[in-house]
Amino acid sequence: MKKLLSIITVVGTALFFVACGNKGSEQEPIVAPEGMNTLDLTRYGKQFAIFVPDTTKAKLTVVEQQSGALDISVGTNFAISINEQAADIEMKKADLKGDDVNKLKAFSVEEPNAIMWESEITKPEFHFLINHKIGNIDYSIEDVKSTEAEPFGKEAIQKMFDSAKNMKEIKKPEA
């Protein structure tokens, strides 16, 4: 009887593990916040997705720069650049504090891996910089600064900041 009970326990345990599988390695669905779409960047060699504004209302453009940066823009109110190395946040803060032309007004976010700030040359500008680690790779994400266009407003920068902060890893399927 003890032998039969041992065999049933072993078989039952084996069936349990086979039925349950390794569910921890499966990709959970990535759900974009309202008004945003999920942009899968695996085709650009990045193992993550990022949220971008609704691309049915504005044109999506993804450009791989010669520097290695990946620039993503949607219309005229969303433009970010993703670099494959972490930025030195403390050095950036020091640069901002020492800039005599584009004067720093205030940091609205000041975290170890992220800053968002307001500065001014002739009128207020808003910008951000975030370091994010996906898998084993460090990335820095920032707004694209253009000399040909007006700087982004506070609301647009907040949307880009939130998008960069909430990047989601896309797990490679196991072979």
Side-chain angles (χ1 to χ4, degrees), residues 3 5 12 28 36 42 53 58 71 74-75 80 88-89 93 102 108 111 117 121 136 140-141 147-148 158 161-162:
K3 211 178 213 186
L5 189 55
E28 291 183 27
M36 302 289 272
T42 54
D71 290 353
V74 179
I80 62 172
D88 187 333
I89 300 277
K93 287 168 44 177
N102 192 357
S108 53
E111 301 170 357
W117 68 93
I121 296 176
N136 294 327
S140 63
I141 305 96
T147 57
E148 299 171 10
Q158 184 67 54
F161 180 85
D162 292 343

Side-chain angles (χ1 to χ4, degrees), residues 59-142:
K59 182 182 177 193
L60 168 70
T61 306
V62 180
V63 177
E64 293 178 279
Q65 299 292 344
Q66 288 182 345
S67 65
L70 187 64
D71 290 353
I72 301 167
S73 63
V74 179
T76 58
N77 279 318
F78 188 94
I80 62 172
S81 185
I82 301 170
N83 294 285
E84 273 195 34
Q85 75 262 355
D88 187 333
I89 300 277
E90 290 303 316
M91 186 167 65
K92 181 67 175 179
K93 287 168 44 177
D95 288 348
L96 291 168
K97 290 174 182 175
D99 192 333
D100 292 333
V101 176
N102 192 357
K103 295 193 181 290
L104 176 68
K105 293 182 82 176
F107 287 105
S108 53
V109 173
E110 196 171 359
E111 301 170 357
N113 291 319
I115 54 174
M116 186 172 20
W117 68 93
E118 179 182 359
S119 59
E120 184 172 328
I121 296 176
T122 56
K123 59 183 180 177
E125 295 182 14
F126 300 89
H127 302 283
F128 77 92
L129 175 63
I130 292 178
N131 285 335
H132 208 311
K133 187 172 190 115
I134 302 285
N136 294 327
I137 302 173
D138 289 312
Y139 295 94
S140 63
I141 305 96
E142 62 186 322

